[in-house]
Structures are given as structure tokens and as C-alpha cells.
Amino acid sequence: MGKFTDGVIEPTVASELAPILSACSRFETARLANPLGDLVIWASAPKTLRSLLEDTASWPERVLFASSGQSWTYREHLIAVARFAHALRNRFGVVKGDRVAIAMQNRAEWSIAFWATQSIGAIAVPINAWLLGPEMTVCIDDSGACVLVADTVRLDRLGDLDALPSVDHVIAVDLAAFDRTTMWTAALENQPDTLPDAIVEPDDPATIFYTSGTTGRPKGALGTHRAACQNIVSVSLIDAFAYHRRHGDLSGFAPGAPGIVALLAIPLFHVGGCHGTLIPMIARGATIVIQERWDAAVATTLMREYDITHFTGVPTQFVQLADLLEQADEVDVPAKVKMLNMGGSAPPPELPGRLARLFPYALLASGFGQTECTQIATLTFGTDFEAKARSCGRPIPIVAMQLLIDGKLVPMPDAVGQTGEMVLRAPTMLREYFNRPEATSETIVNGWMRTGDIASVDADGMLTIVDRAKDMIIRGGENIYCIEVERVLLEHPLVAEVAVYGRSHRVLGEEPVATVVLTEGSEVQSGELREFAAGKLAAFKVPVEIFISPTSLERNPIGKVLKSVLRTALAQPT
């Protein structure tokens, strides 16, 4: 591709945000010197995740976590974090820059392990808890994690812990004991209640979130403390807009104001759960109600029981909520909800209108984000969102965005009516793909990050994603990279060719299907192929249907399978 040589493009401010930005000092911006062009940053953002953690001592008696009949106050959480931080350093030998892998479902211990890691300058490596053992092993090995914190289900899947060569210590958070593990409670025993001394800087690495690539090999997006802390203020824009709409000003809007109760129903191993709910809600002094596994009926019960005010999720979750509430004609559940924020994929066009009727006191928001840009890059609110549900909105004030059209970067105002790859520059960008210099140089070019998503810009400056440069399916907010599934199916001895692609699904958005060509003269049932894939892939990646083609797959002149032809054929009535 070569280098992008365009000059620094200033972020543009969406008109609906102008009164918010001018009325609240929290949203003042500053410039951060950068060799490839200054970055615009939020001046009020915490410097590091450790400093944010220390600030939580300001509301010690507030309830932080509520889950399964248990609760944790901010004081109890901070003490547990301090004890585990001491254990990591003094008992398990973790030093600044070491990686600590976290593999478990949503629970308070996930947060404790995460914040303890951040407090001593180590790097947290969230592992997708839905993966099978071999898939988790790839991520743990790639990160070089020296400590693994995991629950029973994940340890069962991993099996032989001796197969993790970099891992020196395994901490089991459940009661069941495994060989080579230290019990969670034992790790915290006899440790100090205050955080250990540590020097943590804004540009120090903080997290490695794994995202599969078009090569099928997972890539670890290395994010910094600055990126995580800048995202906190970006997320609070939604709250500020909602508050301004209700009150007409921001005089009472403050980061630590009481009364926020957030439902956490996105896995913490995703940026949506960690950077979209856990970190920004802790920064606001909120109560977080943990839902260990998504179920719409359980979610409505939790909304009623805890007076939920905030919920961030993927469109699939909101479709299921709307279906359930409409069938039950519920009126009490939505009464306290003030903010509903969705991302991960474009929602069905009718969804914002349905939610507006069901949640009359809530601000509806959506946007575009990626693991590589720490969750959020564009936003759309309220009536804009309802009018243009498929749009992901406009770039937030710290994000400079252009479209890559015919190999040239085109500023947003000049790109109206055109289509191109979204390319951005922001303080929330990943620093690199961990130990993947070639992948890094392909994604970050002269300080600009290629998103891999193709978008158009309308006359109002609203972006709409129309295609993906990456061969990827988004199923209920989960990314499925087609080449990974194709490689697994090609391991079957009777499969000669395979193409995996997505088809539309009303609730999930998309679901994976596959077309295969068998070796000459062989026979196998599609159900057998699905079982074969299920033994090697997480359940959400397994094609829901596999079609067996009697002829070779149609390809273009350079040999690439024409998946558009397969999708078109799938849509035709039989």
C-alpha cells in the first residue's frame, strides 16, 4: 500500500455534541505531541488505570458488584485487588510488562485479577471463555503469559496444564483443585490491604485482547493505559448527552455522581464488556450487576430487581429483549433505564423504534468500534439513530477519520457520497499487534489505522458500513473469521473445497454457513461435517448448515471463491 502522506486531519465535531462539549469541562480537549502528527486527547481523562483504581477509594461503601445474591463494595474490591497484586508480585514473581492471562466467565474475580495486573504495570490478557482448550492455548502461548487465572470450566477445557510452556503459575478461582494450581483464596491470604508501590505510565502497555485475523491466526491487539483511559471519557459522552436532554444543562453531571446501576451482560473478555462497561462504570462510581451468561428473561428480572439504569449490548441482545417485553406487555421493567448503547454490528432498521417505545425514558445510542481502537470511534444518538438505524454515526471528537478511496486518503467532508475503507488516527489506537510486526505495519500506516471496514458518508456526515475488507461474519456480536473455519473443514479427509460465508439472521444479524465440495467418489453427510467442526471450534463458529456441492466452487480469474454467488444462490427459493 505504501505510506499515507496526507497531513494531519483535525477531528470534526458532530453538531449534536456541540452544546455538550462547550458546557462541561470534562470534555475539554488538548493536543498530544506525536512524531507522525499531534493527537487530540481528552484533557480530563485519568492518566493510567492504576490512578483510576486509586480514585475508587472516594466511594468505599458504595456497592460495586452485585451477582448471584452476593455483593462487593468498592472498599472490598480495592482490598482484594491490593492483596492479589501483592500475590502476583511477591508470590508468583510477576514484574512490570509480564503478561497475566484471565480465562473465566463474568464474575468479580475477573475484575480483581484485571485491576491487580494493571496496578503493578503488568499486562492483562483476557481469554475468550467460549473457546475450546486448543484455541485458548494458542492465545496463552502467543502472549507468553507467565500466570493464568481461570475458573473450573476453562481449566477443564485446557486439560494438561503442562502443555502451557510459558505459564509458571495457575490460580484456580473455584473450589475444585487441579494439578499445578494455587487456590484463589490461598493466593490472597496474608497479603497487605493496600496497593503495592509501582510506577505506571500512560504509554505503558495494559492489555492484549485477541482477535483472529484473515490468516486465521489470532492476533493480540496491544493497548495502552492511555488508550483505555481516553475511552472512558468517550463512553461518558453518551451519558452526558442523555443528561443534557433530560435537564437542559450539565450542571449536575459529575463522574462520581451516585445512582448509576449498569447491567453487565457482555463477556469481559470482549472490549465491549471490559472497555464498554467495567472500566467506564467503575470510573463513574456505578453499581455493576453481573449477568454471568446472557438470557433475555434473566436480564429483565435483573432490570426490575436492581433498577438498572444503563445497559450496553449487541443488537442481538436488544432484539431478544424487545421480543420478550412486547410479548409480555411489560411496563415496569423499562421505567428506570436511562441509557441503552449498542455496538458490534448494525441493528435491524426497525429496532431503534421498538426500543424507543419500550424504553421511553432512555437515550438510544450506537456506534462503531473495534478491539484495535479500544471499543469506540463513532457515535450516533437519539433521533439521529432512530432516523438512520444502519448508520454508525460520526467520529467522536478525539478521532480523526478519513476514507481510503483508490489508494488515497480522503477527508470526511470531501468523501460525501463516496465509499471507502475507514481509516482513523486516535489516542485509543492499538500500539501494535503483539509480536506481529508485519501485521502491525499492514494495519498502522504512517500513524493511521486501517479498520478493514468499508463505509459511505452521507450529506450529514453520517457513516454507514456497507461491507468488510476482511472476510468475517459477525454472529450476535462475535467475530467469526471464515478462513479459520474453512481450514478446519479442509482437515476432513473427504473435503476438497470449502467456502464459509454468512447469511442473514433476524436475531443474530448473521450466522455462518458453508458450501463444500467432496473428494471424487466420496460421500459424507453434512451433519457429520458439522460434528467434525464442533470438535475443533467454539460452538458459535460452527456452520449452522453445510451444503454439499456436486460441482467445483466458482472462482474469479485469480482463483478466489466467489462467495457472493453462493450467497445469492442461498437467497433464491428452491
Side-chain angles (χ1 to χ4, degrees):
M1 175 62 69
K3 289 188 175 182
F4 300 155
T5 57
D6 301 61
V8 176
I9 305 298
E10 292 291 335
T12 56
V13 177
S15 58
E16 76 272 21
L17 287 178
I20 308 299
L21 301 175
S22 62
C24 186
S25 61
R26 176 168 176 76
F27 301 112
E28 290 180 357
T29 57
R31 300 185 74 85
L32 177 69
N34 185 286
L36 296 175
D38 290 356
L39 296 171
V40 176
I41 62 172
W42 299 116
S44 68
K47 300 303 181 186
T48 67
L49 290 173
R50 178 185 169 105
S51 65
L52 168 58
L53 176 68
E54 292 170 333
D55 289 343
T56 65
S58 300
W59 35 78
E61 302 309 321
R62 287 189 195 175
V63 174
L64 169 52
F65 292 125
S67 173
S68 303
Q70 298 180 331
S71 65
W72 292 71
T73 66
Y74 275 85
R75 182 200 304 277
E76 291 168 336
H77 179 261
L78 188 55
I79 289 173
V81 168
R83 290 176 178 173
F84 195 59
H86 280 284
L88 286 176
R89 176 181 284 179
N90 301 327
R91 182 168 180 176
F92 304 121
V94 176
V95 300
K96 186 174 182 177
D98 280 349
R99 277 77 66 201
V100 176
I102 306 172
M104 64 181 92
Q105 66 182 13
N106 286 1
R107 54 195 296 168
E109 289 87 350
W110 197 105
S111 177
I112 293 165
F114 176 84
W115 289 100
T117 301
Q118 302 305 319
S119 73
I120 59 173
I123 304 171
V125 184
I127 302 297
N128 188 323
W130 293 346
L131 299 181
L132 300 183
E135 295 170 304
M136 287 191 284
T137 297
V138 168
C139 299
I140 296 169
D141 284 348
D142 185 79
S143 72
C146 60
V147 170
L148 168 65
V149 188
D151 60 18
T152 298
V153 174
R154 264 41 65 174
L155 291 173
D156 273 336
R157 288 185 195 166
L158 285 166
D160 182 11
L161 298 179
D162 290 328
L164 301 173
S166 69
V167 176
D168 298 318
H169 303 281
V170 179
I171 295 95
V173 300
D174 297 309
L175 295 177
F178 290 78
D179 290 341
R180 281 196 60 213
T181 64
T182 300
M183 296 307 301
W184 173 266
T185 51
L188 270 64
E189 284 178 354
N190 302 317
Q191 300 292 346
D193 289 351
T194 57
L195 291 173
D197 292 335
I199 297 176
V200 182
E201 302 291 345
D203 290 320
D204 286 343
T207 57
I208 299 175
F209 280 88
Y210 274 88
T211 175
S212 293
T214 52
T215 64
R217 176 186 169 190
K219 296 180 294 186
L222 184 69
T224 64
H225 283 261
R226 188 190 306 279
C229 292
Q230 288 288 311
N231 186 69
I232 293 168
V233 184
S234 298
V235 172
S236 70
L237 272 172
I238 305 170
D239 253 353
F241 189 86
Y243 188 97
H244 190 275
R245 190 177 71 167
R246 290 194 305 271
H247 301 284
D249 60 41
L250 289 175
S251 58
F253 183 78
I260 295 178
V261 184
L263 177 63
L264 173 62
I266 298 181
L268 285 166
F269 55 74
H270 278 314
V271 291
C274 183
H275 289 295
T277 298
L278 178 70
I279 296 174
M281 288 298 104
I282 284 181
R284 296 290 305 275
T287 294
I288 299 173
V289 178
I290 299 175
Q291 185 173 359
E292 295 173 354
R293 189 176 183 85
W294 171 252
D295 181 283
V298 173
T300 58
T301 299
L302 293 174
M303 285 182 171
R304 186 185 301 109
E305 180 180 352
Y306 289 99
D307 289 336
I308 297 296
T309 63
H310 291 56
F311 175 46
T312 294
V314 297
T316 297
Q317 293 172 313
F318 286 104
V319 168
Q320 293 172 341
L321 269 180
D323 287 348
L324 188 66
L325 293 174
E326 286 172 345
Q327 293 169 6
D329 196 25
E330 291 273 5
V331 293
D332 59 327
V333 169
K336 297 292 181 69
V337 178
K338 298 176 182 177
M339 189 277 286
L340 295 174
N341 181 33
M342 69 182 69
S345 61
E350 73 281 359
L351 182 59
R354 296 175 68 195
L355 293 174
R357 291 189 297 272
L358 291 166
F359 296 88
Y361 308 109
L363 173 73
L364 305 182
S366 184
F368 164 82
Q370 289 183 328
T371 300
E372 287 85 347
C373 61
T374 318
Q375 203 244 336
I376 193 169
T378 73
L379 282 174
T380 178
F381 305 93
T383 53
D384 271 355
F385 181 33
E386 293 177 46
K388 299 179 179 180
R390 302 296 289 181
S391 171
C392 59
R394 304 175 180 90
I396 58 178
I398 62 168
V399 173
M401 186 172 289
Q402 303 185 71
L403 294 190
L404 180 61
I405 303 173
D406 296 329
K408 182 179 180 181
L409 289 179
V410 179
M412 289 277 288
D414 299 331
V416 172
Q418 300 187 67
T419 298
E421 182 181 354
M422 298 164 68
V423 179
L424 61 86
R425 172 182 279 158
T428 52
M429 286 168 39
L430 81 163
R431 174 189 289 182
E432 63 185 43
Y433 287 115
F434 187 69
N435 288 337
R436 300 286 296 279
E438 291 185 4
T440 301
S441 62
E442 290 172 1
T443 298
I444 303 176
V445 183
N446 202 31
W448 291 88
M449 190 189 93
R450 301 186 61 176
T451 66
D453 286 290
I454 310 300
S456 61
V457 185
D458 67 16
D460 296 320
M462 300 276 282
L463 288 153
T464 299
I465 296 175
V466 297
D467 201 356
R468 301 187 190 103
K470 301 172 182 176
D471 191 8
M472 183 179 74
I473 300 162
I474 301 180
R475 181 185 191 182
E478 287 291 328
N479 292 351
I480 302 171
Y481 292 86
C482 297
I483 193 169
E484 179 186 11
V485 184
E486 289 166 351
R487 283 180 171 175
V488 166
L489 287 171
L490 282 170
E491 291 176 14
H492 193 285
L494 300 183
V495 172
E497 297 180 66
V498 61
V500 174
Y501 47 99
R503 71 179 177 192
S504 178
H505 189 281
R506 189 185 77 84
V507 175
L508 298 174
E510 292 179 292
E511 59 183 3
V513 296
T515 298
V516 303
V517 178
L518 301 179
T519 56
E520 186 174 357
S522 63
E523 291 186 10
V524 65
Q525 298 298 313
S526 60
E528 295 176 52
L529 295 176
R530 291 189 70 250
E531 288 181 12
F532 178 82
K536 297 175 177 288
L537 295 167
F540 69 88
K541 301 178 186 178
V542 177
V544 297
E545 197 165 1
I546 296 179
F547 303 96
I548 298 177
S549 173
T551 59
S552 292
L553 301 178
E554 189 172 346
R555 300 174 183 269
N556 65 14
I558 63 172
K560 185 176 181 180
V561 173
L562 295 174
K563 294 187 180 181
S564 59
V565 173
L566 296 173
R567 292 190 190 94
T568 300
L570 192 63
Q572 301 301 317
T574 56

